[in-house]
Amino acid sequence: MEEFQPQLVVLSGLHMMEGQGRELWEERLKEAVVTISDIPNEVPIHLELASMTDTDYMNSIMQEQVLPIVNSIGLNEQELLFISQAGLGPHSQLPSWSGVPDVGQVSDILLWILKQHGRTDLESEADLTRIHFHTLAYHILATVDGFWANQVSAVSAGARVAGSQACGTQEIDVNRVVLKAPLEFHTSRDEPGQTMTLNPSEPVVVWHRENVSFYFTPVLVCKNPLRTVGLGDAISAEGLLYSEMAEQ
């Protein structure tokens, strides 16, 4: 680490330990925490999650182990709902999403994660201040105010690469993509929220809840995708490339 001097550290693969037994993953998670703790504070750490089914394992990642000591996470709709189900969070009674995930429900869960496991309280010792949520039809970046900048560009870049990489093209081909995002949505289902309308000339919609900012953008979905393996990684990587972390 000292020789390489990275500007960013990206972690993934925690889901691969889930089926190897509690004793093994408890030990490996402890090793991961020690390694992450050795990374200098000024180097941001992003964790890319993947599908899991063991609630005890997910709770260990969330509460006791990894989530509080990384700065940013990336995840999709299955992983987001499973986190809420494992921690009895908002909308945890949903067995699964029905069609395109409801933006208000997604927003409620994102805020809950940042309040429960992140640094919305400045006196908290947690480091988590950013979540990049991606589903087929749209993406949302949720960040604690004062920690990240340029998130409009970041969420736009992630959505752009989702459309182009899935179609196997360098640029978005308008003849090969379709819009599936809601044109109007509520920013919350748990509390009185705003009703937002998508503006094609300004495709990133921004709203605020407490000290968390949300950045929503639709995805131009590839009609006949050629490349979907690693798409979540590419989305998060592109978003990180355009993100600026404020000095604390």
Side-chain angles (χ1 to χ4, degrees):
M1 187 67 71
E2 292 180 3
E3 294 179 4
F4 184 53
Q5 294 186 337
Q7 295 178 311
L8 169 72
V9 172
V10 177
L11 307 173
S12 65
L14 291 182
H15 63 288
M16 298 177 70
M17 295 191 293
E18 181 185 34
Q20 298 181 16
R22 187 184 189 97
E23 183 177 343
L24 186 143
W25 59 248
E26 281 184 344
E27 185 63 31
R28 290 290 177 85
L29 280 179
K30 289 177 183 177
E31 293 174 2
V33 168
V34 171
T35 302
I36 294 169
S37 300
D38 288 339
I39 298 172
N41 291 335
E42 62 270 18
V43 179
I45 304 167
H46 174 84
L47 172 66
E48 192 68 20
L49 294 175
S51 181
M52 290 178 256
T53 58
D54 187 321
T55 54
D56 289 339
Y57 184 55
M58 178 58 82
N59 279 323
S60 288
I61 291 173
M62 285 194 299
Q63 298 171 1
E64 305 165 20
Q65 304 279 358
V66 182
L67 213 61
I69 60 173
V70 301
N71 307 101
S72 170
I73 62 172
L75 75 179
N76 67 18
E77 69 273 19
Q78 283 89 10
E79 293 134 25
L80 183 80
L81 184 57
F82 184 60
I83 286 177
S84 187
Q85 290 169 339
L88 300 178
H91 314 296
S92 57
Q93 75 282 0
L94 290 174
S96 62
W97 299 108
S98 178
V100 176
D102 181 84
V103 177
Q105 292 175 328
V106 169
S107 173
D108 292 336
I109 300 173
L110 292 173
L111 180 64
W112 171 77
I113 293 173
L114 287 171
K115 290 177 70 173
Q116 290 290 316
H117 309 291
R119 201 175 177 184
T120 53
D121 181 353
L122 295 181
E123 295 183 0
S124 168
E125 295 183 356
D127 293 318
L128 180 64
T129 51
R130 178 183 184 273
I131 304 176
H132 194 163
F133 169 79
H134 41 82
T135 188
L136 179 69
Y138 65 85
H139 297 170
I140 296 177
L141 261 171
T143 59
V144 179
D145 294 341
F147 289 90
W148 297 86
N150 205 39
Q151 296 304 280
V152 169
S153 296
V155 76
S156 301
R160 182 184 61 214
V161 80
S164 61
Q165 181 163 313
C167 280
T169 58
Q170 291 295 319
E171 303 292 337
I172 296 288
D173 182 345
V174 295
N175 297 312
R176 299 175 63 181
V177 295
V178 62
L179 188 67
K180 295 188 176 183
L183 301 182
E184 187 176 276
F185 58 85
H186 299 287
T187 58
S188 175
R189 293 296 186 183
D190 275 351
E191 57 189 47
Q194 301 169 269
T195 300
M196 311 298 279
T197 302
L198 193 61
N199 181 354
S201 62
E202 295 182 7
V204 177
V205 181
V206 183
W207 68 92
H208 308 276
R209 297 178 63 181
E210 300 180 32
N211 61 335
V212 175
S213 295
F214 295 81
Y215 305 85
F216 167 100
T217 195
V219 173
L220 293 172
V221 180
C222 186
K223 296 176 184 176
N224 299 296
L226 302 175
R227 297 170 57 192
T228 57
V229 175
L231 195 56
D233 295 340
I235 291 165
S236 288
E238 197 78 1
L240 288 165
L241 183 65
Y242 283 81
S243 293
E244 299 173 6
M245 190 175 186
E247 293 186 10
Q248 299 300 312

